[in-house]
């Protein structure tokens, strides 16, 4: 089975070369048969990638430890669920997953009949990327490498990976990462074939939004996984690995907004092409950072030479794509200019600058150690407060903009228009601020940030309400029908608003958990109580237990909030047979307002236990907001009437 | 002023503001990544400076005061050793022999006081070598 997998990769490598050369040559010579045969090769590569992936899954699930990859990441006692997920636990397998997704995406694009003369070019560009991954898999980090003998037992999976997050986070992140390859390929193909209209944007809109949605989910599940599994109490630490998937998310978000300007006003063509190119390059560069071990990260990625290959490939793609953009620059001149500063398009432009600004500051902070080393010889480090300090004001601006943007018109807003639209949201925000202050929200940054949040909520909801009222007046429908039809008939717009509201919930969670979090750690005797804010926690008992096949040591901690009992919390340490050290399993008692997060840090021979208690406000809203964002995306993408773009705005209309 | 000039001015202002923001952010939040040997050499000159180091736990060096929740240990590169004090609890895998990242400052009499201890997430992508059979010619450490 390992041989079948490996041979599939090698044949895939050869066929992907043929697919590229065949399609490009066929296009040039106008030879349809050649194109057709090369398209067949694309399909074959997708099938071969599937065969290789299934072979690896088969080896993992059946526990063939003679294959090094299976030996490294699984053991006989591992639940089936995780044996399967071990597919992407290591370098080779995770790159195979990448290839698999890419090959299938490429086959879908190649055989989609909507697209015509762009297809061979797009398909070749995507195959070029697949070629790189096939090369890596076949010659650098072969997941089918054999040990040469059959060990009785594998090394097992790292306990930290044994979490539901392991199953969902890598897959969603890759679906997102790889998804951006499609709009990138279309952008490049459009330039190569000298099509500079916005057709490539229209064709790839769904791809881009889906990729963005998956990357959103990937980041979210990564954060959630860290929060529930790693046991340090947070969900984000600005680790290079986290930044590597956050930065393309930012540029991808900017791209989603700026293409609307091109669709509506035929502007920003160069910017859009550059933005999607940068986004795709960042996914590759992020992979380089993550796999090379060049930066100090808590995630040890092994100092393999894999990073070098990614760096070289990223460099090649960078030079080739920007050379192409530079060469086609004269064709990309937009046909229109900004008409006014106070217009929707300039607020979109500002939104882009902020998103790209956050991406840049994060990128800069991430690679600063490398830059510093290059110039001074010694390596500086950048600590978490840098990222918080720099991105907080930018984030605040972005929140405000989310509230302002729906209130101003395309092209130019009049003074009256502005007064009418801003009155309600501003009043709402002021009222919120006063009430919040009176209720005890006194930290100035938190107050400012939550007021901005309230402004966006009121602004967005008042837009929806206004639309509903207009519809009721025009059609005589009842409020519910009017609201429903309004949303469904303009799914793209209101889907966007739903996403904004989701993001606002998520941001509220971030603001809350960063401004009003509390940490206490204390060693308690049996029966002793610790008080943290409104909570009192009484340490009742320390005992041994079983968690499936694993031994555990847990503490019984009786929790109460304002005297009301919350029940027993059992933070524990889990001992995995295949792992020398116990893993922390936190106890979380969550509510919409705050999470009580309890860690059993250790215990003494005399029965005392050390507990770490964290109060994390509003964390639940991160996850809720994330799901609302996904719901908004699906709503906007749902095919059918109402999913179309608004009219093109031309001068003199 | 025509709109193009206005737009250019706006963009320049924004980029300038971004630059200032980054500069002020970096101002107090950067430190040095030092090897343990370098850190020892600069122990006196770098008092109060934020330092990040990576090393391994020196065998048998761990002390733990449960009452004050204080962890003490030696961080070593094999030859040199720095004694670390940390007001906090052991992170997972602390005694596993995985590389440990320590962030903090030299603080006169108390030696090196850590603000943050992280254990490198083991075998996320690559397995640890010491448990690997001889037959696998792994290059990982």
């Amino acid at each position: 089975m390992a041989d079948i997998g490996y041979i599939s990769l090698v044949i895939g490598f050869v066929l992907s070369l043929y697919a590229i050369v065949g399609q490009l040559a066929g296009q040039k010579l106008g030879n349809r048969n050649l194109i057709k045969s090369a398209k067949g090769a694309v399909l074959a590569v997708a099938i071969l990638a599937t065969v290789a992936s299934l072979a690896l899954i088969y080896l993992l699930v059946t526990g063939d430890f003679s294959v090094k990859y299976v030996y490294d990441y699984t053991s006989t006692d591992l639940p089936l669920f995780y044996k399967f997920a071990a597919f992407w636990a290591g370098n080779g397998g995770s790159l195979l997953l990448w290839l698999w997704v890419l090959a299938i995406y490429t086959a879908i694009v190649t055989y989609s009949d909507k697209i015509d003369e762009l297809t061979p070019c797009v398909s070749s560009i995507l195959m070029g990327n697949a070629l790189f991954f096939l090369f890596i898999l076949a010659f650098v980090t072969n997941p089918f490498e054999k040990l040469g003998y059959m060990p009785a037992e594998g090394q097992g999976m790292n306990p930290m990976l044994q979490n539901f997050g392991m199953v969902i986070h890598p897959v969603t992140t890759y679906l997102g990462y790889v998804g951006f390859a499609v709009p990138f390929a279309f952008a490049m193909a459009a330039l190569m074939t000298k099509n500079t209209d916005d057709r490539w944007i229209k064709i790839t809109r769904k791809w881009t939004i889906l990729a963005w949605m998956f990357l959103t989910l990937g980041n979210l599940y990564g954060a959630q996984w860290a929060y529930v599994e790693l046991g340090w109490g947070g969900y984000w630490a600005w680790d290079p690995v986290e930044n590597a998937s956050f930065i393309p998310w930012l540029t991808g978000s900017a791209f989603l907004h700026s293409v609307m300007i091109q669709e509506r006003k035929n502007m920003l063509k160069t910017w859009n092409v550059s933005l999607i190119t940068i986004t795709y390059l960042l996914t590759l560069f992020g992979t380089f950072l993550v796999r090379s071990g060049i930066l100090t990260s808590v995630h040890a990625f092994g100092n393999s030479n894999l990073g070098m290959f990614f760096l070289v490939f990223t460099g090649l793609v960078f030079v080739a794509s920007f050379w192409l953009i530079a060469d086609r620059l004269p064709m990309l001149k937009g046909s229109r200019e900004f008409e006014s500063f106070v217009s929707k398009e300039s607020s979109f432009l500002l939104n882009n600058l902020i998103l790209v600004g956050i991406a840049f500051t994060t990128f800069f902070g991430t690679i600063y150690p490398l830059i510093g080393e290059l110039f001074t010889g010694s390596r500086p480090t950048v600590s978490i407060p840098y990222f918080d300090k720099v991105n907080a004001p930018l984030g605040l601006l972005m929140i405000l903009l989310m509230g302002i943007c729906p209130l101003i018109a395309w092209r130019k807003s009049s003074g009256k228009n502005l007064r009418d639209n801003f009155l309600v949201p501003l009043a709402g925000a002021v009222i919120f601020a006063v009430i919040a202050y009176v209720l005890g929200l006194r930290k100035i940054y938190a107050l400012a940030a939550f007021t901005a949040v309230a402004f966006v909520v009121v602004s967005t909801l008042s837009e929806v309400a206004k639309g509903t009222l207009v519809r009721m007046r025009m059609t005589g429908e009842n409020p519910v029908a009017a609201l429903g039809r309004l949303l469904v008939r303009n799914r793209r717009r209101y889907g966007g608003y739903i996403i904004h509201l989701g993001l606002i919930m998520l941001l509220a969670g971030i603001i809350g958990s960063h401004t009003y979090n509390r940490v206490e750690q204390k060693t308690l005797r049996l029966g002793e109580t610790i008080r943290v804010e409104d909570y009192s926690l009484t340490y009742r008992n320390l005992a041994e237990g079983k968690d499936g096949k694993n031994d555990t040591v847990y503490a019984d901690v009786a929790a109460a909030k304002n005297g009301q009992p919350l029940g027993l919390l059992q933070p524990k340490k889990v001992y995995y047979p295949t792992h020398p050290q116990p893993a922390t399993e936190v106890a979380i008692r969550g509510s919409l307002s705050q999470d009580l997060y309890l860690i059993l840090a250790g215990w003494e021979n005399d029965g005392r236990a050390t507990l770490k208690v964290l109060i994390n406000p509003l964390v639940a809203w991160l996850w809720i907001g994330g799901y609302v964002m996904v719901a908004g995306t699906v709503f906007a993408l749902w095919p059918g009437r109402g999913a179309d773009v608004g009219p093109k705005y031309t001068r003199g209309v | 002023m025509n709109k193009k000039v206005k737009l250019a001015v706006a963009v320049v202002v924004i980029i300038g503001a971004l630059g200032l923001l980054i500069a002020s952010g970096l101002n107090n939040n950067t430190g040095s990544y030092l090897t343990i040997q370098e850190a020892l050499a600069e122990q006196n000159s770098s008092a109060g400076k934020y330092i990040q180091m990576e090393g391994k736990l020196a065998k048998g060096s761990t002390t733990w005061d449960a009452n004050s929740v204080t962890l003490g240990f030696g961080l070593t590169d094999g030859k040199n050793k720095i004694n670390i004090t940390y007001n906090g609890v052991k992170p997972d895998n602390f005694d596993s022999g995985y590389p440990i990242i320590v962030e903090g400052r030299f603080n006169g009499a108390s030696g090196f006081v850590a603000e943050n201890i992280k254990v490198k997430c083991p075998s996320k992508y690559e397995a640890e070598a010491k448990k690997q059979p001889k037959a696998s010619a792994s290059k990982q450490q």
Side-chain angles (χ1 to χ4, degrees), chain A residues 236-261:
Chain A
W236 192 265
W238 298 106
D239 188 272
V241 174
E242 297 164 359
N243 297 347
S245 58
F246 179 51
I247 301 170
W249 182 87
L250 290 164
T251 56
S253 305
F255 176 75
L256 282 177
H257 289 92
S258 66
V259 291
M260 287 188 235
I261 306 268

PDB file of all heavy atoms in Angstrom, chain A residues 236-261:
ATOM      1  N   TRP A 236      -4.771  33.190  22.023  1.00  0.00           N
ATOM      2  CA  TRP A 236      -3.967  33.797  20.962  1.00  0.00           C
ATOM      3  C   TRP A 236      -2.718  34.377  21.590  1.00  0.00           C
ATOM      4  O   TRP A 236      -2.802  35.084  22.586  1.00  0.00           O
ATOM      5  CB  TRP A 236      -4.780  34.905  20.271  1.00  0.00           C
ATOM      6  CG  TRP A 236      -4.151  35.386  19.005  1.00  0.00           C
ATOM      7  CD1 TRP A 236      -3.324  36.475  18.875  1.00  0.00           C
ATOM      8  CD2 TRP A 236      -4.270  34.818  17.708  1.00  0.00           C
ATOM      9  NE1 TRP A 236      -2.933  36.592  17.569  1.00  0.00           N
ATOM     10  CE2 TRP A 236      -3.488  35.592  16.839  1.00  0.00           C
ATOM     11  CE3 TRP A 236      -4.949  33.707  17.201  1.00  0.00           C
ATOM     12  CZ2 TRP A 236      -3.376  35.304  15.472  1.00  0.00           C
ATOM     13  CZ3 TRP A 236      -4.843  33.424  15.852  1.00  0.00           C
ATOM     14  CH2 TRP A 236      -4.070  34.220  14.992  1.00  0.00           C
ATOM     15  N   ALA A 237      -1.540  34.101  21.027  1.00  0.00           N
ATOM     16  CA  ALA A 237      -0.310  34.574  21.649  1.00  0.00           C
ATOM     17  C   ALA A 237       0.619  35.253  20.651  1.00  0.00           C
ATOM     18  O   ALA A 237       1.784  35.460  20.936  1.00  0.00           O
ATOM     19  CB  ALA A 237       0.414  33.424  22.337  1.00  0.00           C
ATOM     20  N   TRP A 238       0.113  35.607  19.488  1.00  0.00           N
ATOM     21  CA  TRP A 238       0.918  36.242  18.437  1.00  0.00           C
ATOM     22  C   TRP A 238       2.164  35.426  18.151  1.00  0.00           C
ATOM     23  O   TRP A 238       3.234  35.963  17.896  1.00  0.00           O
ATOM     24  CB  TRP A 238       1.303  37.671  18.831  1.00  0.00           C
ATOM     25  CG  TRP A 238       0.138  38.576  19.027  1.00  0.00           C
ATOM     26  CD1 TRP A 238      -0.360  39.026  20.211  1.00  0.00           C
ATOM     27  CD2 TRP A 238      -0.698  39.157  18.012  1.00  0.00           C
ATOM     28  NE1 TRP A 238      -1.443  39.839  19.994  1.00  0.00           N
ATOM     29  CE2 TRP A 238      -1.668  39.940  18.659  1.00  0.00           C
ATOM     30  CE3 TRP A 238      -0.713  39.086  16.608  1.00  0.00           C
ATOM     31  CZ2 TRP A 238      -2.656  40.649  17.975  1.00  0.00           C
ATOM     32  CZ3 TRP A 238      -1.695  39.794  15.935  1.00  0.00           C
ATOM     33  CH2 TRP A 238      -2.641  40.561  16.606  1.00  0.00           C
ATOM     34  N   ASP A 239       2.025  34.136  18.225  1.00  0.00           N
ATOM     35  CA  ASP A 239       3.115  33.248  17.862  1.00  0.00           C
ATOM     36  C   ASP A 239       3.264  33.302  16.337  1.00  0.00           C
ATOM     37  O   ASP A 239       2.274  33.468  15.624  1.00  0.00           O
ATOM     38  CB  ASP A 239       2.748  31.836  18.319  1.00  0.00           C
ATOM     39  CG  ASP A 239       3.904  30.878  18.163  1.00  0.00           C
ATOM     40  OD1 ASP A 239       4.045  30.281  17.078  1.00  0.00           O
ATOM     41  OD2 ASP A 239       4.668  30.748  19.121  1.00  0.00           O
ATOM     42  N   PRO A 240       4.503  33.171  15.834  1.00  0.00           N
ATOM     43  CA  PRO A 240       4.695  33.229  14.380  1.00  0.00           C
ATOM     44  C   PRO A 240       3.747  32.308  13.619  1.00  0.00           C
ATOM     45  O   PRO A 240       3.274  32.640  12.528  1.00  0.00           O
ATOM     46  CB  PRO A 240       6.136  32.778  14.193  1.00  0.00           C
ATOM     47  CG  PRO A 240       6.822  33.123  15.459  1.00  0.00           C
ATOM     48  CD  PRO A 240       5.786  33.027  16.540  1.00  0.00           C
ATOM     49  N   VAL A 241       3.481  31.154  14.208  1.00  0.00           N
ATOM     50  CA  VAL A 241       2.624  30.195  13.530  1.00  0.00           C
ATOM     51  C   VAL A 241       1.186  30.706  13.408  1.00  0.00           C
ATOM     52  O   VAL A 241       0.515  30.522  12.395  1.00  0.00           O
ATOM     53  CB  VAL A 241       2.653  28.860  14.302  1.00  0.00           C
ATOM     54  CG1 VAL A 241       1.666  27.881  13.734  1.00  0.00           C
ATOM     55  CG2 VAL A 241       4.047  28.293  14.263  1.00  0.00           C
ATOM     56  N   GLU A 242       0.736  31.369  14.466  1.00  0.00           N
ATOM     57  CA  GLU A 242      -0.608  31.942  14.417  1.00  0.00           C
ATOM     58  C   GLU A 242      -0.655  33.089  13.421  1.00  0.00           C
ATOM     59  O   GLU A 242      -1.572  33.200  12.606  1.00  0.00           O
ATOM     60  CB  GLU A 242      -1.003  32.454  15.813  1.00  0.00           C
ATOM     61  CG  GLU A 242      -1.075  31.361  16.849  1.00  0.00           C
ATOM     62  CD  GLU A 242      -1.068  31.875  18.282  1.00  0.00           C
ATOM     63  OE1 GLU A 242      -0.990  33.102  18.481  1.00  0.00           O
ATOM     64  OE2 GLU A 242      -1.135  31.059  19.188  1.00  0.00           O
ATOM     65  N   ASN A 243       0.368  33.949  13.493  1.00  0.00           N
ATOM     66  CA  ASN A 243       0.415  35.083  12.579  1.00  0.00           C
ATOM     67  C   ASN A 243       0.428  34.626  11.127  1.00  0.00           C
ATOM     68  O   ASN A 243      -0.128  35.279  10.261  1.00  0.00           O
ATOM     69  CB  ASN A 243       1.655  35.930  12.859  1.00  0.00           C
ATOM     70  CG  ASN A 243       1.629  36.535  14.242  1.00  0.00           C
ATOM     71  OD1 ASN A 243       0.585  36.527  14.895  1.00  0.00           O
ATOM     72  ND2 ASN A 243       2.745  37.046  14.708  1.00  0.00           N
ATOM     73  N   ALA A 244       1.079  33.478  10.888  1.00  0.00           N
ATOM     74  CA  ALA A 244       1.206  32.990   9.523  1.00  0.00           C
ATOM     75  C   ALA A 244      -0.152  32.738   8.880  1.00  0.00           C
ATOM     76  O   ALA A 244      -0.300  32.842   7.662  1.00  0.00           O
ATOM     77  CB  ALA A 244       2.035  31.709   9.486  1.00  0.00           C
ATOM     78  N   SER A 245      -1.170  32.410   9.675  1.00  0.00           N
ATOM     79  CA  SER A 245      -2.477  32.228   9.053  1.00  0.00           C
ATOM     80  C   SER A 245      -3.380  33.448   9.261  1.00  0.00           C
ATOM     81  O   SER A 245      -4.395  33.593   8.588  1.00  0.00           O
ATOM     82  CB  SER A 245      -3.162  30.956   9.558  1.00  0.00           C
ATOM     83  OG  SER A 245      -3.307  31.006  10.945  1.00  0.00           O
ATOM     84  N   PHE A 246      -2.992  34.333  10.168  1.00  0.00           N
ATOM     85  CA  PHE A 246      -3.784  35.549  10.398  1.00  0.00           C
ATOM     86  C   PHE A 246      -3.502  36.593   9.310  1.00  0.00           C
ATOM     87  O   PHE A 246      -4.422  37.260   8.822  1.00  0.00           O
ATOM     88  CB  PHE A 246      -3.432  36.114  11.779  1.00  0.00           C
ATOM     89  CG  PHE A 246      -4.163  37.379  12.147  1.00  0.00           C
ATOM     90  CD1 PHE A 246      -5.543  37.468  12.036  1.00  0.00           C
ATOM     91  CD2 PHE A 246      -3.469  38.485  12.612  1.00  0.00           C
ATOM     92  CE1 PHE A 246      -6.215  38.631  12.386  1.00  0.00           C
ATOM     93  CE2 PHE A 246      -4.136  39.653  12.974  1.00  0.00           C
ATOM     94  CZ  PHE A 246      -5.509  39.720  12.854  1.00  0.00           C
ATOM     95  N   ILE A 247      -2.246  36.703   8.893  1.00  0.00           N
ATOM     96  CA  ILE A 247      -1.876  37.758   7.929  1.00  0.00           C
ATOM     97  C   ILE A 247      -2.577  37.562   6.578  1.00  0.00           C
ATOM     98  O   ILE A 247      -3.178  38.502   6.054  1.00  0.00           O
ATOM     99  CB  ILE A 247      -0.339  37.865   7.794  1.00  0.00           C
ATOM    100  CG1 ILE A 247       0.276  38.176   9.159  1.00  0.00           C
ATOM    101  CG2 ILE A 247       0.044  38.962   6.815  1.00  0.00           C
ATOM    102  CD1 ILE A 247       1.790  38.072   9.192  1.00  0.00           C
ATOM    103  N   PRO A 248      -2.540  36.352   5.994  1.00  0.00           N
ATOM    104  CA  PRO A 248      -3.298  36.195   4.736  1.00  0.00           C
ATOM    105  C   PRO A 248      -4.803  36.389   4.923  1.00  0.00           C
ATOM    106  O   PRO A 248      -5.487  36.814   3.990  1.00  0.00           O
ATOM    107  CB  PRO A 248      -2.987  34.766   4.280  1.00  0.00           C
ATOM    108  CG  PRO A 248      -2.189  34.134   5.331  1.00  0.00           C
ATOM    109  CD  PRO A 248      -1.741  35.155   6.308  1.00  0.00           C
ATOM    110  N   TRP A 249      -5.301  36.108   6.116  1.00  0.00           N
ATOM    111  CA  TRP A 249      -6.728  36.360   6.372  1.00  0.00           C
ATOM    112  C   TRP A 249      -7.018  37.854   6.244  1.00  0.00           C
ATOM    113  O   TRP A 249      -8.034  38.265   5.667  1.00  0.00           O
ATOM    114  CB  TRP A 249      -7.107  35.865   7.770  1.00  0.00           C
ATOM    115  CG  TRP A 249      -8.558  36.033   8.097  1.00  0.00           C
ATOM    116  CD1 TRP A 249      -9.558  35.151   7.807  1.00  0.00           C
ATOM    117  CD2 TRP A 249      -9.183  37.151   8.728  1.00  0.00           C
ATOM    118  NE1 TRP A 249     -10.765  35.651   8.226  1.00  0.00           N
ATOM    119  CE2 TRP A 249     -10.572  36.882   8.791  1.00  0.00           C
ATOM    120  CE3 TRP A 249      -8.722  38.358   9.243  1.00  0.00           C
ATOM    121  CZ2 TRP A 249     -11.489  37.774   9.357  1.00  0.00           C
ATOM    122  CZ3 TRP A 249      -9.636  39.237   9.798  1.00  0.00           C
ATOM    123  CH2 TRP A 249     -10.998  38.935   9.849  1.00  0.00           C
ATOM    124  N   LEU A 250      -6.107  38.672   6.770  1.00  0.00           N
ATOM    125  CA  LEU A 250      -6.294  40.122   6.705  1.00  0.00           C
ATOM    126  C   LEU A 250      -6.251  40.623   5.265  1.00  0.00           C
ATOM    127  O   LEU A 250      -7.119  41.379   4.830  1.00  0.00           O
ATOM    128  CB  LEU A 250      -5.205  40.830   7.518  1.00  0.00           C
ATOM    129  CG  LEU A 250      -5.277  40.682   9.034  1.00  0.00           C
ATOM    130  CD1 LEU A 250      -3.962  41.088   9.672  1.00  0.00           C
ATOM    131  CD2 LEU A 250      -6.419  41.525   9.585  1.00  0.00           C
ATOM    132  N   THR A 251      -5.229  40.198   4.515  1.00  0.00           N
ATOM    133  CA  THR A 251      -5.127  40.685   3.136  1.00  0.00           C
ATOM    134  C   THR A 251      -6.277  40.113   2.309  1.00  0.00           C
ATOM    135  O   THR A 251      -6.793  40.786   1.419  1.00  0.00           O
ATOM    136  CB  THR A 251      -3.773  40.306   2.510  1.00  0.00           C
ATOM    137  OG1 THR A 251      -3.611  38.892   2.608  1.00  0.00           O
ATOM    138  CG2 THR A 251      -2.625  40.998   3.203  1.00  0.00           C
ATOM    139  N   GLY A 252      -6.681  38.891   2.622  1.00  0.00           N
ATOM    140  CA  GLY A 252      -7.830  38.306   1.923  1.00  0.00           C
ATOM    141  C   GLY A 252      -9.101  39.093   2.208  1.00  0.00           C
ATOM    142  O   GLY A 252      -9.917  39.336   1.314  1.00  0.00           O
ATOM    143  N   SER A 253      -9.272  39.522   3.471  1.00  0.00           N
ATOM    144  CA  SER A 253     -10.437  40.336   3.822  1.00  0.00           C
ATOM    145  C   SER A 253     -10.393  41.664   3.059  1.00  0.00           C
ATOM    146  O   SER A 253     -11.420  42.141   2.571  1.00  0.00           O
ATOM    147  CB  SER A 253     -10.460  40.632   5.322  1.00  0.00           C
ATOM    148  OG  SER A 253     -10.401  39.448   6.062  1.00  0.00           O
ATOM    149  N   ALA A 254      -9.209  42.266   2.975  1.00  0.00           N
ATOM    150  CA  ALA A 254      -9.065  43.524   2.243  1.00  0.00           C
ATOM    151  C   ALA A 254      -9.464  43.311   0.785  1.00  0.00           C
ATOM    152  O   ALA A 254     -10.209  44.103   0.192  1.00  0.00           O
ATOM    153  CB  ALA A 254      -7.626  44.028   2.334  1.00  0.00           C
ATOM    154  N   PHE A 255      -9.013  42.199   0.211  1.00  0.00           N
ATOM    155  CA  PHE A 255      -9.314  41.886  -1.185  1.00  0.00           C
ATOM    156  C   PHE A 255     -10.821  41.755  -1.409  1.00  0.00           C
ATOM    157  O   PHE A 255     -11.368  42.291  -2.380  1.00  0.00           O
ATOM    158  CB  PHE A 255      -8.583  40.597  -1.573  1.00  0.00           C
ATOM    159  CG  PHE A 255      -8.877  40.115  -2.966  1.00  0.00           C
ATOM    160  CD1 PHE A 255      -8.321  40.746  -4.066  1.00  0.00           C
ATOM    161  CD2 PHE A 255      -9.701  39.014  -3.173  1.00  0.00           C
ATOM    162  CE1 PHE A 255      -8.596  40.300  -5.352  1.00  0.00           C
ATOM    163  CE2 PHE A 255      -9.969  38.566  -4.453  1.00  0.00           C
ATOM    164  CZ  PHE A 255      -9.418  39.211  -5.543  1.00  0.00           C
ATOM    165  N   LEU A 256     -11.499  41.068  -0.493  1.00  0.00           N
ATOM    166  CA  LEU A 256     -12.948  40.893  -0.638  1.00  0.00           C
ATOM    167  C   LEU A 256     -13.661  42.238  -0.734  1.00  0.00           C
ATOM    168  O   LEU A 256     -14.686  42.370  -1.412  1.00  0.00           O
ATOM    169  CB  LEU A 256     -13.509  40.136   0.573  1.00  0.00           C
ATOM    170  CG  LEU A 256     -13.288  38.639   0.592  1.00  0.00           C
ATOM    171  CD1 LEU A 256     -13.831  38.058   1.876  1.00  0.00           C
ATOM    172  CD2 LEU A 256     -13.973  37.995  -0.601  1.00  0.00           C
ATOM    173  N   HIS A 257     -13.124  43.241  -0.028  1.00  0.00           N
ATOM    174  CA  HIS A 257     -13.761  44.552  -0.061  1.00  0.00           C
ATOM    175  C   HIS A 257     -13.348  45.350  -1.293  1.00  0.00           C
ATOM    176  O   HIS A 257     -14.171  46.004  -1.919  1.00  0.00           O
ATOM    177  CB  HIS A 257     -13.421  45.336   1.204  1.00  0.00           C
ATOM    178  CG  HIS A 257     -14.094  44.792   2.431  1.00  0.00           C
ATOM    179  ND1 HIS A 257     -13.522  43.860   3.246  1.00  0.00           N
ATOM    180  CD2 HIS A 257     -15.314  45.032   2.962  1.00  0.00           C
ATOM    181  CE1 HIS A 257     -14.346  43.552   4.236  1.00  0.00           C
ATOM    182  NE2 HIS A 257     -15.450  44.251   4.082  1.00  0.00           N
ATOM    183  N   SER A 258     -12.073  45.289  -1.623  1.00  0.00           N
ATOM    184  CA  SER A 258     -11.607  46.169  -2.703  1.00  0.00           C
ATOM    185  C   SER A 258     -12.119  45.707  -4.063  1.00  0.00           C
ATOM    186  O   SER A 258     -12.281  46.527  -4.970  1.00  0.00           O
ATOM    187  CB  SER A 258     -10.081  46.264  -2.701  1.00  0.00           C
ATOM    188  OG  SER A 258      -9.515  45.030  -3.020  1.00  0.00           O
ATOM    189  N   VAL A 259     -12.402  44.404  -4.219  1.00  0.00           N
ATOM    190  CA  VAL A 259     -12.922  43.979  -5.520  1.00  0.00           C
ATOM    191  C   VAL A 259     -14.310  44.580  -5.774  1.00  0.00           C
ATOM    192  O   VAL A 259     -14.716  44.759  -6.913  1.00  0.00           O
ATOM    193  CB  VAL A 259     -13.010  42.446  -5.677  1.00  0.00           C
ATOM    194  CG1 VAL A 259     -11.624  41.844  -5.749  1.00  0.00           C
ATOM    195  CG2 VAL A 259     -13.830  41.809  -4.590  1.00  0.00           C
ATOM    196  N   MET A 260     -15.018  44.905  -4.688  1.00  0.00           N
ATOM    197  CA  MET A 260     -16.348  45.499  -4.878  1.00  0.00           C
ATOM    198  C   MET A 260     -16.213  46.849  -5.570  1.00  0.00           C
ATOM    199  O   MET A 260     -17.078  47.251  -6.345  1.00  0.00           O
ATOM    200  CB  MET A 260     -17.030  45.676  -3.537  1.00  0.00           C
ATOM    201  CG  MET A 260     -17.498  44.366  -2.950  1.00  0.00           C
ATOM    202  SD  MET A 260     -18.481  44.681  -1.484  1.00  0.00           S
ATOM    203  CE  MET A 260     -17.633  43.720  -0.286  1.00  0.00           C
ATOM    204  N   ILE A 261     -15.123  47.552  -5.270  1.00  0.00           N
ATOM    205  CA  ILE A 261     -14.906  48.847  -5.917  1.00  0.00           C
ATOM    206  C   ILE A 261     -14.654  48.642  -7.405  1.00  0.00           C
ATOM    207  O   ILE A 261     -15.153  49.395  -8.245  1.00  0.00           O
ATOM    208  CB  ILE A 261     -13.689  49.557  -5.293  1.00  0.00           C
ATOM    209  CG1 ILE A 261     -13.848  49.654  -3.804  1.00  0.00           C
ATOM    210  CG2 ILE A 261     -13.467  50.906  -5.939  1.00  0.00           C
ATOM    211  CD1 ILE A 261     -14.490  50.897  -3.329  1.00  0.00           C
TER     212      ILE A 261
END
